[in-house]
Each structure stands twice: as C-alpha cells, then as structure tokens.
Amino acid sequence: MLRYTLMRLGIFAGCLVVVWALVHSGLAPRGLGDSNGLWIVLLALLISAPISFVVLRKERDRASEGIVRRVERAKANLEANRSQEDVADDTARAQGQASGQAQTS
C-alpha cells in the first residue's frame, strides 16, 4: 500500500509541476486574485486522478490483494482465539461441575 501511495504522490507531483509551468507560461488560465496556488493544486489533482486510475491499476489490485490476505489472516487468528477461549471455558465449567458433584456426595 505504501508503494501505491508513493506512486500516486509521484504522479500528482509530476502533474503539479506541469500545471505550474503551463499556468506561469500563460498556456493555462491563472486563478483569480490570490487563489492561483489553489487553482494549480486543484487542476493538478483533477489531471492526476484519471492518470493514476489507469496507470496504477495493477499496483492497486496488488495492494488490495495484500489487504484481503491480511484481513483473512486476522479473521482466522480471531476465530482460533475464540475457539481456544471456548475450550478453556468448557473445561473450567466441566471441572467446576465435577467438583460440585463430588462435594454433594
């Protein structure tokens, strides 16, 4: 997931540099008043999103598979812990009932 995030940030940074160059060269419109920086960032986000969606498809799929594996492993560990607790609880109850019957006899 870290690799995907870094690649996505790299694409955004590249788009930011290109948009900045286009705005400052006059090929792209400038923002209104003091909003030029915000305009450049928003335009870079707008351009980088579809590029990332297409270019990073395989990396995104790989990252999601890793997440699914970790979630499945966590579920299996949780279920194993629950089973162990159930066995320990059943054993303790059985011992408690056996000692209770022994005292009443």
Side-chain angles (χ1 to χ4, degrees), residues 3 8 12 22 25 29 34 41 43 46 48 54 65 79 92:
R3 181 177 173 180
R8 180 109 192 243
F12 169 72
L22 289 173
S25 68
D34 292 336
V41 169
L43 197 54
L46 185 68
S48 69
V54 173
E65 288 172 3
E79 187 58 37

Side-chain angles (χ1 to χ4, degrees), residues 2-57:
L2 178 64
R3 181 177 173 180
Y4 171 76
T5 302
L6 291 174
M7 292 171 78
R8 180 109 192 243
L9 285 172
I11 290 173
F12 169 72
C15 289
L16 187 65
V17 169
V18 169
V19 168
W20 179 84
L22 289 173
V23 167
H24 284 285
S25 68
L27 294 173
R30 293 184 184 275
L32 298 174
D34 292 336
S35 68
N36 197 40
L38 182 61
W39 167 251
I40 292 172
V41 169
L42 289 176
L43 197 54
L45 280 171
L46 185 68
I47 293 170
S48 69
I51 292 172
S52 295
F53 184 74
V54 173
V55 172
L56 299 179
R57 181 171 302 188

Side-chain angles (χ1 to χ4, degrees), residues 1 59-77:
M1 197 63 186
E59 189 63 36
R60 188 174 53 252
D61 290 343
R62 198 173 313 139
S64 67
E65 288 172 3
I67 291 170
V68 167
R69 279 194 304 271
R70 278 186 250 139
V71 167
E72 293 295 327
R73 192 172 359 155
K75 284 182 180 178
N77 288 341

Side-chain angles (χ1 to χ4, degrees), residues 88-105:
D89 189 43
D90 292 344
T91 303
R93 286 183 185 182
Q95 288 175 352
Q97 287 176 354
S99 67
Q101 290 176 354
Q103 289 177 358
T104 59
S105 302

